[in-house]
Amino acid sequence: MSAPLVRGRWMTQTSELIQSLGPNDVARRDALTRLEELTQHASTFDHNGWYPRRIHADMLGALAAASGGEAAARLLLERAGQAVATRADDQFLRMALKVMSPALFVRSLPRLWGVEHQMKDAFVVDSCEPEKGRAVVHLARVEGYEHVGPVVAGWLRALLSDLGGAKVTVADNGWTLANPAPREVSFELTWSAAAVPVESQEEAEIREHITDGLLTLSEAQRDGYSSAPVLLLRGPTPLKVIFAWVNEMLILLAAEYEQGVAFRRQLGEKLVTVEQQRAAIRDLSTPIIEVWNGVLCLPVVGVIDTVRSVDMTTTLLRAIVEKDARYAIVDITGIEVMDTRTADHFVQMAKAVRLIGSRYALAGVSPEIAQTVVRMGVDLDELTTYRNLREALQAWIQKT
Amino acid sequence: MTTKNQLDAFLKSALPTLRAIEGGDLSLHVTSDDPADKPLGALAASANALVEGLVQARQRTRRYQRELEEQIATIEKQRAAIRELSTPIIEVWTGVLCVPIVGVLDAERAADMTASLLRVIAQRKTPLTIIDVTGIENMETYATDHFLRMARAVRLLGAECVLSGVNANLAWTITEIGVDLADIRTHRTLREALQEYVRQQEAAAAGTAVGVLKR
């Protein structure tokens, strides 16, 4: 059996709660430190994604440890569950809760839980007596899921209180701070009579079908409409017509989702190409030609920035070593701008070349560049310069 | 609370809107007399939420599409830059152009290269062009063909064109595929090609001046 998974929202809501704790609380600091360890990938938690339950349990542990004592811990943990249940973006769930009767709610619990947690058959309804305003349910197989009891109690209470303004209580049994992960936790739910709608069998059925449709939509929304579940065409004819329309919309949404995914994938591929071409341009902007035995020429075209200057120097030095060159001529005939920084890059390059025992010269210094350099007051004394490549080369040939 | 009659009435009033939305008008809203905490009110609200969801999804898709188009434009621009950068033309000696070739040579690039080379030759009136193929590992038949065309085009302008940097591998390929390179002179290195040119110049100038090269 694979590890049980939980929706990302349980993690994000819990970590938000920890961060919102009182600023002067020493315990909060400890919890925050642990949280940071746990959520090194927090930025990648997607509310609707699936993550190992273990991460959530660890966060709850940090939260429980941050509170002083069992009563306070219970309160905080319940708030963590409540925070998930009251998220405003679950609009279809909100709508479904508004029209559910308590009996429908209890019956839907395994489904509501299943949307949030991949733990098969975990929620079990033991008894439900709507007329008495009472139900008992239990969450099975939660061993190792520390502190889940109060969290689910808070979650249930928040969901239940959405049902037509009902007065509700939820009691969980089994959890203590000392024994945070019993094998199962049971909950007793009670609600006031006001929450129970007075209606005929026919009306109850319509309510049930609409609730069912809304829950299906809520499930579809959780998964970004990626694989749109289909509303079952049940109930009286008008409902079937509306549900068929909803299914059409779900198909359109799924198609849009697919298109979006396709575009994003292509975008990813294009970004890779852009990166590769950027690298290619970098390489191409440093062509090195052996113009004579032991003489390398590096023609420079365009604009020189620091990154390119470093690239050029690295390539040039590597070529000098590889070809055992004794002389490097940098031809700047094709350069676009010559300013202090650019001049500086060439001085640096000259120093590096000299350090590995080769000579260095700048060729292609035009009258304009010469004037600019003088005006800027750049000290080019350290550089040997020539009017063009030919003169640089000729000087070398005559010397050797 | 919601009877079948109410459901019928709701559908009757909402159906034209639903059909219009289905037909593509996403600006429409379904209305119900019931508030959202009644089944029919919730039904209407959910229909509107679905339409809203679809509108947002479409906007998102369009944004991705725009970003994608921007990247495609960037790729085009980069490609042009690469084309330009891959044909550096350097005047290594007075009257001598050197065209070092790196990477893959396809028909498009060869055409680009020839065009810019011819432009420079016409501009600077240089008598010799050396195509340096040191950076090429293997040459395919069609690539050899590109060089031949390039060389002939250069000659039409009244200039000379030679090949340098032919390594053993390349020489073997050329022989293998039986291309006739008889009308193009080849040299082992750029230096040799250049040296020969300088020597010729020297010979031509002999008796009138001291040559630049002390051999």
Side-chain angles (χ1 to χ4, degrees), chain A residues 208-293:
Chain A
E208 187 181 343
H209 290 315
I210 292 180
T211 303
D212 187 64
L214 291 171
L215 286 181
T216 307
L217 286 180
S218 136
E219 284 158 10
Q221 191 194 22
R222 290 296 160 100
D223 292 323
Y225 304 106
S226 53
S227 52
V230 175
L231 267 65
L232 295 174
L233 303 184
R234 287 195 312 207
T237 315
L239 262 191
K240 285 184 192 160
V241 173
I242 293 169
F243 282 3
W245 176 86
V246 169
N247 281 339
E248 285 299 313
M249 295 302 282
L250 286 177
I251 289 170
L252 290 179
L253 276 162
E256 209 59 41
Y257 173 87
E258 210 170 291
Q259 180 72 71
V261 168
F263 277 151
R264 255 204 322 240
R265 199 193 43 240
Q266 289 179 39
L267 196 57
E269 288 167 3
K270 295 295 175 206
L271 285 174
V272 170
T273 310
V274 167
E275 229 6 86
Q276 283 170 346
Q277 293 197 343
R278 196 166 287 159
I281 289 176
R282 218 169 30 231
D283 287 345
L284 282 173
S285 14
T286 348
I288 292 181
I289 317 147
E290 190 169 5
V291 279
W292 203 261
N293 273 12

XYZ file of all heavy atoms in Angstrom, chain A residues 208-293:
681
model
N -30.941 16.397 -2.473
C -29.838 15.441 -2.508
C -29.132 15.458 -3.867
O -27.898 15.463 -3.937
C -30.361 14.037 -2.202
C -29.232 13.034 -2.048
C -29.736 11.626 -1.759
O -30.919 11.489 -1.355
O -28.948 10.687 -1.959
N -29.910 15.495 -4.928
C -29.290 15.489 -6.258
C -28.460 16.748 -6.491
O -27.369 16.687 -7.058
C -30.369 15.376 -7.348
C -31.021 14.036 -7.376
N -30.300 12.855 -7.305
C -32.326 13.668 -7.453
C -31.134 11.829 -7.341
N -32.377 12.296 -7.422
N -29.004 17.889 -6.050
C -28.261 19.140 -6.252
C -26.982 19.134 -5.428
O -25.902 19.499 -5.911
C -29.158 20.353 -5.919
C -30.273 20.457 -6.979
C -28.340 21.647 -5.890
C -31.224 21.613 -6.783
N -27.090 18.656 -4.169
C -25.894 18.536 -3.328
C -24.841 17.662 -4.001
O -23.660 18.001 -4.064
C -26.265 17.902 -1.975
O -27.258 18.685 -1.353
C -25.048 17.817 -1.074
N -25.321 16.542 -4.528
C -24.427 15.594 -5.179
C -23.697 16.259 -6.355
O -22.484 16.122 -6.523
C -25.245 14.400 -5.656
C -24.367 13.306 -6.192
O -23.591 12.761 -5.390
O -24.428 13.044 -7.414
N -24.461 17.031 -7.142
C -23.866 17.732 -8.278
C -22.816 18.733 -7.817
O -21.723 18.820 -8.385
N -23.143 19.483 -6.748
C -22.202 20.493 -6.260
C -20.921 19.854 -5.727
O -19.818 20.377 -5.929
C -22.870 21.338 -5.162
C -23.995 22.258 -5.648
C -24.735 22.865 -4.468
C -23.425 23.356 -6.531
N -21.070 18.710 -5.058
C -19.871 18.030 -4.561
C -18.999 17.551 -5.722
O -17.767 17.624 -5.665
C -20.256 16.852 -3.665
C -20.776 17.232 -2.270
C -21.110 15.979 -1.466
C -19.746 18.074 -1.527
N -19.641 17.082 -6.780
C -18.873 16.653 -7.950
C -18.115 17.842 -8.541
O -16.940 17.729 -8.900
C -19.805 16.058 -9.021
O -20.596 15.044 -8.418
C -19.003 15.463 -10.161
N -18.770 18.986 -8.599
C -18.101 20.182 -9.113
C -16.930 20.571 -8.217
O -15.869 20.970 -8.691
C -19.085 21.355 -9.185
C -20.100 21.294 -10.317
C -21.003 22.506 -10.262
C -19.362 21.244 -11.647
N -17.130 20.449 -6.907
C -16.056 20.790 -5.977
C -14.847 19.877 -6.195
O -13.698 20.312 -6.164
C -16.594 20.723 -4.552
O -15.706 20.080 -3.705
N -15.133 18.604 -6.463
C -14.027 17.673 -6.737
C -13.320 18.036 -8.038
O -12.092 17.994 -8.138
C -14.565 16.238 -6.805
C -14.866 15.666 -5.429
C -15.851 14.507 -5.463
O -16.167 14.016 -6.569
O -16.311 14.113 -4.385
N -14.121 18.406 -9.046
C -13.528 18.781 -10.341
C -12.638 20.011 -10.180
O -11.544 20.083 -10.733
C -14.624 19.063 -11.355
N -13.113 20.958 -9.377
C -12.355 22.195 -9.180
C -11.025 21.917 -8.481
O -10.001 22.499 -8.813
C -13.183 23.179 -8.356
C -12.579 24.561 -8.331
C -13.211 25.434 -7.253
O -13.791 24.930 -6.290
N -13.098 26.723 -7.416
N -11.048 20.984 -7.506
C -9.806 20.648 -6.794
C -8.709 20.218 -7.761
O -7.545 20.464 -7.547
C -10.029 19.491 -5.811
C -10.851 19.821 -4.615
C -10.162 20.854 -3.765
N -11.129 21.505 -2.901
C -11.313 21.197 -1.634
N -10.578 20.289 -1.062
N -12.204 21.834 -0.927
N -9.122 19.506 -8.798
C -8.115 18.993 -9.726
C -7.958 19.898 -10.933
O -7.482 19.469 -11.990
C -8.481 17.562 -10.146
C -8.339 16.597 -8.968
O -7.399 16.776 -8.182
O -9.171 15.690 -8.830
N -8.344 21.156 -10.771
C -8.163 22.123 -11.850
C -8.928 21.745 -13.103
O -8.544 22.116 -14.202
N -9.998 20.974 -12.965
C -10.820 20.507 -14.086
C -10.012 19.668 -15.064
O -10.322 19.607 -16.247
C -11.453 21.697 -14.843
C -12.268 22.607 -13.956
C -11.785 23.850 -13.598
C -13.503 22.209 -13.484
C -12.525 24.688 -12.767
C -14.238 23.031 -12.656
C -13.747 24.266 -12.303
O -14.466 25.080 -11.488
N -8.901 19.079 -14.549
C -8.021 18.363 -15.469
C -8.728 17.145 -16.054
O -8.691 16.921 -17.257
C -6.749 17.949 -14.752
O -7.085 17.241 -13.578
N -9.320 16.331 -15.223
C -10.035 15.182 -15.759
C -11.440 15.316 -15.213
O -11.758 14.783 -14.171
C -9.395 13.883 -15.287
O -9.271 13.918 -13.876
N -12.231 16.107 -15.900
C -13.527 16.493 -15.380
C -14.396 15.288 -15.042
O -14.729 14.508 -15.935
C -14.237 17.373 -16.394
N -14.760 15.127 -13.771
C -15.728 14.084 -13.440
C -17.067 14.485 -14.057
O -17.310 15.668 -14.292
C -15.821 14.135 -11.916
C -14.761 15.057 -11.459
C -14.394 15.919 -12.606
N -17.879 13.524 -14.332
C -19.135 13.816 -15.013
C -20.285 13.724 -14.028
O -20.347 12.810 -13.215
C -19.338 12.831 -16.177
C -20.699 13.038 -16.815
C -18.228 13.015 -17.192
N -21.160 14.709 -14.069
C -22.345 14.673 -13.225
C -23.283 13.593 -13.739
O -23.538 13.506 -14.943
C -23.071 16.029 -13.282
C -22.722 17.046 -12.217
C -21.282 17.463 -12.357
C -23.637 18.250 -12.311
N -23.759 12.774 -12.805
C -24.698 11.739 -13.216
C -26.053 12.387 -13.482
O -26.499 13.245 -12.721
C -24.827 10.690 -12.115
C -23.540 9.902 -11.862
C -23.710 8.986 -10.671
C -23.146 9.109 -13.097
N -26.654 12.005 -14.587
C -27.946 12.591 -14.926
C -29.036 11.847 -14.169
O -29.536 10.815 -14.615
C -28.178 12.510 -16.435
C -27.103 13.170 -17.278
C -27.466 13.116 -18.755
C -26.892 14.615 -16.848
N -29.318 12.381 -12.970
C -30.335 11.735 -12.129
C -31.368 12.762 -11.710
O -31.185 13.953 -11.894
C -29.662 11.135 -10.897
C -28.865 9.886 -11.199
C -28.547 9.150 -9.928
N -28.007 10.074 -8.910
C -27.189 9.679 -7.943
N -26.820 8.433 -7.870
N -26.767 10.533 -7.062
N -32.442 12.263 -11.134
C -33.476 13.160 -10.638
C -34.475 13.504 -11.714
O -34.439 12.936 -12.820
N -35.341 14.473 -11.432
C -36.369 14.856 -12.401
C -35.760 15.493 -13.652
O -34.632 16.003 -13.609
C -37.233 15.859 -11.636
C -36.476 16.223 -10.416
C -35.458 15.176 -10.156
N -36.525 15.491 -14.731
C -36.028 15.939 -16.035
C -35.347 17.309 -16.027
O -34.267 17.441 -16.605
C -37.157 15.940 -17.076
O -37.867 14.721 -16.921
C -36.613 16.059 -18.470
N -35.933 18.348 -15.416
C -35.261 19.652 -15.453
C -33.834 19.582 -14.917
O -32.918 20.188 -15.483
C -36.138 20.523 -14.555
C -37.443 19.853 -14.478
C -37.203 18.394 -14.657
N -33.641 18.810 -13.847
C -32.291 18.665 -13.279
C -31.361 17.983 -14.275
O -30.200 18.373 -14.438
C -32.345 17.843 -12.001
C -32.374 18.608 -10.675
C -32.148 17.650 -9.518
C -31.313 19.703 -10.661
N -31.897 16.965 -14.937
C -31.065 16.249 -15.914
C -30.603 17.203 -17.010
O -29.459 17.145 -17.461
C -31.848 15.094 -16.534
C -32.008 13.906 -15.598
C -32.699 12.776 -16.319
C -33.134 11.690 -15.343
N -34.189 10.848 -15.902
N -31.513 18.090 -17.427
C -31.165 19.051 -18.487
C -30.041 19.966 -17.990
O -29.055 20.202 -18.699
C -32.399 19.891 -18.890
C -31.985 20.991 -19.863
C -33.446 18.996 -19.503
N -30.205 20.462 -16.751
C -29.183 21.381 -16.207
C -27.850 20.651 -16.016
O -26.783 21.159 -16.358
C -29.677 21.994 -14.884
C -30.872 22.911 -15.177
C -28.562 22.786 -14.201
C -31.612 23.372 -13.957
N -27.919 19.442 -15.512
C -26.686 18.677 -15.299
C -25.991 18.381 -16.627
O -24.759 18.382 -16.713
C -26.984 17.379 -14.540
C -27.186 17.593 -13.059
C -27.153 18.874 -12.510
C -27.400 16.518 -12.197
C -27.332 19.077 -11.143
C -27.570 16.715 -10.822
C -27.552 17.996 -10.309
N -26.775 18.142 -17.656
C -26.171 17.897 -18.974
C -25.436 19.157 -19.431
O -24.329 19.091 -19.982
C -27.249 17.518 -19.991
N -26.044 20.331 -19.150
C -25.391 21.602 -19.503
C -24.089 21.763 -18.717
O -23.055 22.140 -19.254
C -26.350 22.762 -19.202
C -25.764 24.114 -19.435
C -25.737 24.797 -20.602
C -25.102 24.951 -18.479
N -25.105 26.006 -20.438
C -24.707 26.115 -19.141
C -24.799 24.806 -17.118
C -24.016 27.154 -18.510
C -24.118 25.841 -16.475
C -23.750 27.001 -17.177
N -24.155 21.448 -17.410
C -22.954 21.531 -16.564
C -21.856 20.633 -17.123
O -20.682 21.020 -17.200
C -23.283 21.144 -15.101
C -22.005 20.963 -14.293
C -24.158 22.200 -14.458
N -22.248 19.432 -17.563
C -21.247 18.521 -18.127
C -20.588 19.114 -19.370
O -19.379 18.967 -19.577
C -21.889 17.175 -18.466
C -22.057 16.316 -17.217
O -21.370 16.537 -16.211
N -22.958 15.347 -17.267
N -21.395 19.807 -20.179
C -20.823 20.486 -21.352
C -19.769 21.496 -20.916
O -18.686 21.593 -21.504
C -21.926 21.224 -22.129
C -22.837 20.334 -22.945
C -22.066 19.578 -23.996
O -21.254 20.212 -24.707
O -22.255 18.342 -24.114
N -20.111 22.261 -19.866
C -19.174 23.267 -19.365
C -17.896 22.607 -18.849
O -16.792 23.107 -19.053
C -19.810 24.091 -18.236
C -20.987 24.925 -18.658
S -20.589 26.082 -19.974
C -19.763 27.352 -19.043
N -18.061 21.474 -18.172
C -16.890 20.768 -17.641
C -15.986 20.296 -18.775
O -14.757 20.318 -18.652
C -17.324 19.589 -16.770
C -17.880 19.970 -15.391
C -18.347 18.735 -14.646
C -16.815 20.696 -14.570
N -16.602 19.900 -19.878
C -15.802 19.459 -21.027
C -14.995 20.643 -21.574
O -13.805 20.515 -21.870
C -16.708 18.848 -22.119
C -17.252 17.501 -21.637
C -15.938 18.657 -23.422
C -18.335 16.915 -22.512
N -15.668 21.802 -21.663
C -14.972 23.002 -22.147
C -13.814 23.366 -21.217
O -12.711 23.702 -21.656
C -15.933 24.193 -22.233
C -16.998 24.138 -23.328
C -17.871 25.379 -23.265
C -16.326 24.034 -24.691
N -14.089 23.284 -19.892
C -13.042 23.609 -18.917
C -11.866 22.644 -19.027
O -10.704 23.050 -18.963
C -13.616 23.573 -17.501
C -14.312 24.860 -17.058
C -15.203 24.608 -15.859
C -13.263 25.921 -16.705
N -12.182 21.357 -19.208
C -11.120 20.360 -19.327
C -10.279 20.628 -20.570
O -9.054 20.522 -20.546
C -11.715 18.955 -19.361
N -10.958 21.023 -21.659
C -10.242 21.313 -22.906
C -9.322 22.518 -22.700
O -8.167 22.524 -23.145
C -11.232 21.593 -24.030
N -9.841 23.525 -21.990
C -9.061 24.727 -21.725
C -7.845 24.379 -20.865
O -6.739 24.872 -21.098
C -9.950 25.739 -20.986
C -9.601 27.178 -21.218
C -9.674 27.573 -22.671
O -10.599 27.148 -23.372
O -8.770 28.324 -23.097
N -8.093 23.530 -19.887
C -7.007 23.088 -19.005
C -5.915 22.400 -19.822
O -4.729 22.696 -19.688
C -7.568 22.135 -17.955
C -6.523 21.481 -17.092
C -6.053 22.100 -15.938
C -5.999 20.233 -17.428
C -5.089 21.507 -15.155
C -5.033 19.621 -16.650
C -4.578 20.261 -15.506
O -3.626 19.674 -14.745
N -6.351 21.506 -20.702
C -5.405 20.747 -21.515
C -4.591 21.691 -22.411
O -3.377 21.556 -22.532
C -6.193 19.775 -22.383
C -5.452 18.504 -22.711
C -6.405 17.525 -23.357
O -7.313 17.029 -22.659
O -6.279 17.288 -24.557
N -5.296 22.663 -22.995
C -4.628 23.635 -23.857
C -3.585 24.417 -23.058
O -2.475 24.642 -23.520
C -5.682 24.593 -24.426
C -5.109 25.657 -25.335
C -4.667 25.080 -26.663
O -5.470 24.694 -27.488
N -3.360 24.988 -26.852
N -3.983 24.813 -21.836
C -3.063 25.550 -20.975
C -1.817 24.732 -20.666
O -0.701 25.228 -20.740
N -2.029 23.443 -20.359
C -0.900 22.567 -20.051
C 0.001 22.440 -21.272
O 1.232 22.509 -21.172
C -1.405 21.175 -19.594
C -0.265 20.175 -19.554
C -2.061 21.285 -18.229
N -0.626 22.316 -22.457
C 0.156 22.174 -23.695
C 1.003 23.426 -23.926
O 2.190 23.340 -24.226
C -0.772 21.933 -24.881
N 0.382 24.600 -23.737
C 1.121 25.851 -23.927
C 2.276 25.952 -22.937
O 3.367 26.372 -23.285
C 0.194 27.058 -23.746
C -0.597 27.389 -24.988
C -1.849 27.985 -24.893
C -0.087 27.120 -26.237
C -2.582 28.298 -26.028
C -0.800 27.428 -27.386
C -2.054 28.011 -27.272
N 1.982 25.558 -21.691
C 3.032 25.658 -20.682
C 4.188 24.740 -21.013
O 5.352 25.077 -20.810
C 2.473 25.315 -19.304
C 2.287 26.563 -18.458
C 2.304 26.274 -16.987
N 1.636 25.036 -16.651
C 0.586 24.933 -15.837
N 0.119 26.007 -15.286
N 0.057 23.773 -15.554
N 3.853 23.546 -21.543
C 4.917 22.614 -21.889
C 5.758 23.188 -23.036
O 6.980 23.186 -22.996
C 4.317 21.255 -22.288
C 5.326 20.130 -22.210
C 4.841 18.861 -22.886
N 4.203 19.130 -24.149
C 2.939 18.818 -24.421
N 2.200 18.216 -23.526
N 2.420 19.098 -25.612
N 5.082 23.709 -24.049
C 5.810 24.317 -25.167
C 6.660 25.483 -24.702
O 7.788 25.655 -25.145
C 4.826 24.821 -26.220
C 4.141 23.725 -26.990
C 3.158 24.306 -27.993
O 3.412 25.317 -28.618
N 2.015 23.670 -28.124
N 6.078 26.245 -23.769
C 6.803 27.392 -23.222
C 8.098 26.913 -22.574
O 9.156 27.501 -22.769
C 5.915 28.101 -22.209
C 6.304 29.507 -21.798
C 6.385 30.410 -23.005
C 5.295 30.051 -20.798
N 7.997 25.809 -21.820
C 9.176 25.237 -21.174
C 10.225 24.866 -22.210
O 11.412 25.175 -22.068
N 9.774 24.225 -23.307
C 10.704 23.806 -24.359
C 11.365 25.022 -25.007
O 12.569 25.031 -25.250
C 9.957 23.005 -25.425
C 9.532 21.629 -24.969
C 8.526 20.995 -25.913
O 8.212 21.608 -26.957
O 8.044 19.901 -25.612
N 10.546 26.059 -25.250
C 11.088 27.251 -25.905
C 12.132 27.911 -25.009
O 13.150 28.402 -25.485
C 9.980 28.256 -26.224
C 8.978 27.754 -27.232
C 9.593 27.531 -28.595
C 8.574 26.921 -29.526
N 9.151 26.130 -30.607
N 11.842 27.926 -23.706
C 12.791 28.548 -22.784
C 14.133 27.826 -22.829
O 15.185 28.453 -22.744
C 12.224 28.549 -21.361
C 11.122 29.580 -21.124
C 10.508 29.409 -19.744
C 11.648 30.998 -21.286
N 14.076 26.486 -22.984
C 15.317 25.718 -23.095
C 16.070 26.144 -24.356
O 17.279 26.403 -24.334
C 15.018 24.203 -23.112
C 16.263 23.407 -23.464
C 14.465 23.760 -21.766
N 15.329 26.257 -25.461
C 15.949 26.672 -26.727
C 16.589 28.050 -26.578
O 17.718 28.268 -27.016
C 14.894 26.731 -27.856
O 14.175 25.509 -27.844
C 15.544 26.937 -29.201
N 15.851 28.983 -25.958
C 16.370 30.338 -25.771
C 17.686 30.274 -24.996
O 18.665 30.938 -25.353
C 15.339 31.217 -25.023
C 15.974 32.499 -24.537
C 14.164 31.535 -25.923
N 17.712 29.426 -23.972
C 18.923 29.287 -23.148
C 20.064 28.738 -23.988
O 21.189 29.246 -23.946
C 18.620 28.356 -21.966
C 19.039 28.844 -20.614
C 19.578 30.267 -20.555
O 18.795 31.232 -20.437
O 20.804 30.400 -20.649
N 19.756 27.686 -24.773
C 20.790 27.055 -25.598
C 21.348 28.050 -26.610
O 22.553 28.135 -26.813
C 20.211 25.850 -26.343
C 20.054 24.624 -25.462
C 19.256 23.546 -26.167
O 18.618 23.803 -27.187
N 19.276 22.341 -25.634
N 20.435 28.810 -27.218
C 20.889 29.759 -28.228
C 21.702 30.866 -27.595
O 22.654 31.361 -28.191
C 19.692 30.339 -28.972
C 18.999 29.286 -29.806
C 18.083 29.885 -30.842
O 17.715 31.039 -30.761
N 17.717 29.107 -31.826
N 21.318 31.231 -26.375
C 22.084 32.259 -25.672
C 23.522 31.773 -25.488
O 24.479 32.509 -25.707
C 21.433 32.540 -24.320
C 21.899 33.811 -23.679
C 21.008 34.214 -22.531
N 19.724 34.724 -23.007
C 18.634 34.774 -22.260
N 18.654 34.326 -21.031
N 17.523 35.260 -22.752
N 23.642 30.488 -25.108
C 24.974 29.901 -24.926
C 25.717 29.880 -26.258
O 26.913 30.189 -26.323
C 24.852 28.498 -24.351
N 24.977 29.519 -27.325
C 25.603 29.453 -28.652
C 26.111 30.828 -29.062
O 27.219 30.968 -29.581
C 24.601 28.939 -29.675
N 25.305 31.845 -28.786
C 25.711 33.211 -29.139
C 26.962 33.596 -28.362
O 27.884 34.208 -28.887
C 24.558 34.198 -28.852
C 23.442 33.987 -29.875
C 25.043 35.645 -28.906
C 22.222 34.820 -29.652
N 26.981 33.169 -27.101
C 28.148 33.445 -26.274
C 29.395 32.820 -26.905
O 30.441 33.452 -27.016
C 27.925 32.893 -24.876
C 28.474 33.786 -23.815
C 28.061 33.420 -22.411
N 27.813 32.026 -22.203
C 26.698 31.569 -21.641
N 25.752 32.392 -21.287
N 26.530 30.279 -21.440
N 29.251 31.553 -27.302
C 30.397 30.863 -27.897
C 30.815 31.538 -29.202
O 31.996 31.733 -29.461
C 30.047 29.403 -28.201
C 29.964 28.599 -26.921
O 30.447 29.115 -25.893
O 29.426 27.489 -26.956
N 29.799 31.868 -30.007
C 30.097 32.434 -31.322
C 30.702 33.819 -31.214
O 31.417 34.251 -32.113
C 28.826 32.511 -32.160
C 28.360 31.205 -32.791
C 27.014 31.406 -33.430
C 29.367 30.706 -33.814
N 30.406 34.508 -30.111
C 30.965 35.858 -30.028
C 32.442 35.837 -29.687
O 33.062 36.878 -29.553
C 30.192 36.741 -29.056
O 29.354 36.012 -28.246
N 33.006 34.654 -29.512
C 34.431 34.563 -29.252
C 35.107 33.621 -30.245
O 35.619 32.582 -29.863
C 34.690 34.013 -27.823
O 33.487 34.030 -27.106
C 35.745 34.757 -27.110
N 35.134 33.985 -31.530
C 35.849 33.118 -32.474
C 37.338 33.383 -32.339
O 37.750 34.535 -32.198
C 35.325 33.575 -33.835
C 34.930 35.003 -33.630
C 34.613 35.185 -32.180
N 38.110 32.323 -32.317
C 39.560 32.525 -32.185
C 40.249 31.887 -33.388
O 40.009 30.714 -33.696
C 40.071 31.933 -30.860
C 39.502 32.774 -29.715
C 41.592 31.936 -30.816
C 39.913 32.346 -28.360
N 41.041 32.655 -34.072
C 41.684 32.165 -35.286
C 43.190 32.199 -35.092
O 43.738 33.174 -34.577
C 41.351 33.073 -36.492
C 39.874 33.432 -36.476
C 41.739 32.422 -37.796
C 39.643 34.807 -37.018
N 43.833 31.111 -35.545
C 45.294 31.112 -35.486
C 45.771 31.722 -36.801
O 45.766 31.071 -37.837
C 45.804 29.681 -35.311
C 47.284 29.656 -35.008
C 47.759 28.281 -34.572
O 46.949 27.344 -34.595
O 48.944 28.164 -34.217
N 46.145 32.998 -36.768
C 46.493 33.670 -38.018
C 47.912 33.367 -38.466
O 48.252 33.498 -39.635
C 46.330 35.202 -37.918
C 44.883 35.597 -38.106
C 46.885 35.741 -36.634
N 48.724 32.993 -37.532
C 50.116 32.696 -37.833
C 50.530 31.654 -36.815
O 49.791 31.439 -35.851
C 50.950 33.975 -37.679
C 52.237 33.970 -38.461
C 53.482 33.690 -37.972
C 52.385 34.260 -39.839
N 54.384 33.780 -38.959
C 53.760 34.121 -40.127
C 51.498 34.600 -40.879
C 54.267 34.324 -41.415
C 52.002 34.796 -42.144
C 53.367 34.665 -42.410
N 51.654 31.009 -37.014
C 52.076 30.043 -36.010
C 52.242 30.714 -34.653
O 53.011 31.657 -34.526
C 53.418 29.427 -36.414
C 53.195 28.232 -37.324
O 52.080 28.033 -37.806
N 54.246 27.454 -37.525
